[in-house]
Amino acid sequence: QQHVNKTIHSFLIKPTASAHCVKVEIVEGSIVNESVSALVNAANETLEHIGGLAKIISDAGGPSIQAECNTYIKAKGKLKPGDVVCLDSGDLPCRKLIHAVGPRWMGGGSNEETTLYFTVHNILKLADKESLESIALPAISCGVFGVPADICARATLKSIRDFCQGNVSSNIHTIRCVLCDQAA
């Protein structure tokens, strides 16, 4: 049975009069219920989907997701905060799965907000390069990695706004920011 995510807020970003609009929606629910071109996975440096959102996505997409991630890490090595990689989506109902490594919260003195800003920017650049029209984006680093929700929201939304303003002919038309619950 498919569950429907609840839209909490929706707005358009139109950087210039001649640019296309990007619809940004804040939704509550499970990211695996999203009907988009790509889901974004909040991943760790080794792409081991052992807990949190990464495990939920990997379980929903089947064993091929973890197998492809293992092959990728064996060939390319560990990722670092800010790195993103676009791989197959397994059994998920989307075209691609973008794995993104956000920063771990170290109290705010290690440029975590800036790193998160660039992580989201890198996600959007990769989605655009892959000609993905819509993406579902979780609250990167907000859960297991401990970035406070207000800092996560500020960095994410600023990065989305700045990306849209700097890429007026982007392929991306819809960005769905998916929160697991309204408190997030």
Side-chain angles (χ1 to χ4, degrees):
Q1 177 181 353
Q2 181 77 4
H3 296 281
V4 177
N5 290 341
K6 175 184 171 187
T7 300
I8 298 169
H9 187 67
S10 180
F11 56 94
L12 298 175
I13 297 176
K14 187 171 177 76
T16 66
S18 61
H20 75 277
C21 286
V22 176
K23 184 177 189 179
V24 179
E25 297 176 308
I26 312 299
V27 299
E28 178 185 352
S30 175
I31 198 165
V32 298
N33 293 337
E34 288 296 310
S35 179
V36 290
S37 302
L39 298 182
V40 177
N41 176 32
N44 60 33
E45 296 85 352
T46 56
L47 298 181
E48 292 178 27
H49 310 310
I50 54 177
L53 179 64
K55 182 164 177 34
I56 292 167
I57 290 173
S58 183
D59 287 351
S64 66
I65 289 177
Q66 186 63 65
E68 184 179 27
C69 287
N70 294 343
T71 301
Y72 180 89
I73 292 297
K74 187 174 181 181
K76 305 280 187 178
K78 285 175 43 172
L79 302 173
K80 56 188 182 307
D83 285 347
V84 299
V85 60
C86 186
L87 300 174
D88 288 332
S89 59
D91 296 331
L92 294 167
C94 55
R95 291 187 359 231
K96 293 291 183 180
L97 183 57
I98 298 174
H99 302 276
V101 180
R104 293 181 187 275
W105 183 247
M106 307 296 257
S110 298
N111 294 318
E112 297 96 333
E113 187 169 351
T114 300
T115 302
L116 181 55
Y117 171 94
F118 284 110
T119 303
V120 173
H121 187 79
N122 292 339
I123 290 165
L124 298 172
K125 278 183 11 186
L126 183 57
D128 189 43
K129 179 182 172 194
E130 293 285 331
S131 298
L132 301 168
E133 302 85 23
S134 58
I135 64 169
L137 179 70
I140 302 283
S141 292
C142 193
V144 175
F145 285 13
V147 173
D150 61 327
I151 292 172
C152 180
R154 183 173 52 238
T156 299
L157 294 174
K158 183 176 185 326
S159 186
I160 290 170
R161 183 199 65 210
D162 291 352
F163 176 83
C164 292
Q165 289 176 341
N167 297 276
V168 295
S169 61
S170 170
N171 292 300
I172 302 170
H173 294 282
T174 304
I175 301 168
R176 291 180 55 88
C177 300
V178 183
L179 308 175
C180 58
D181 59 48
Q182 199 160 11

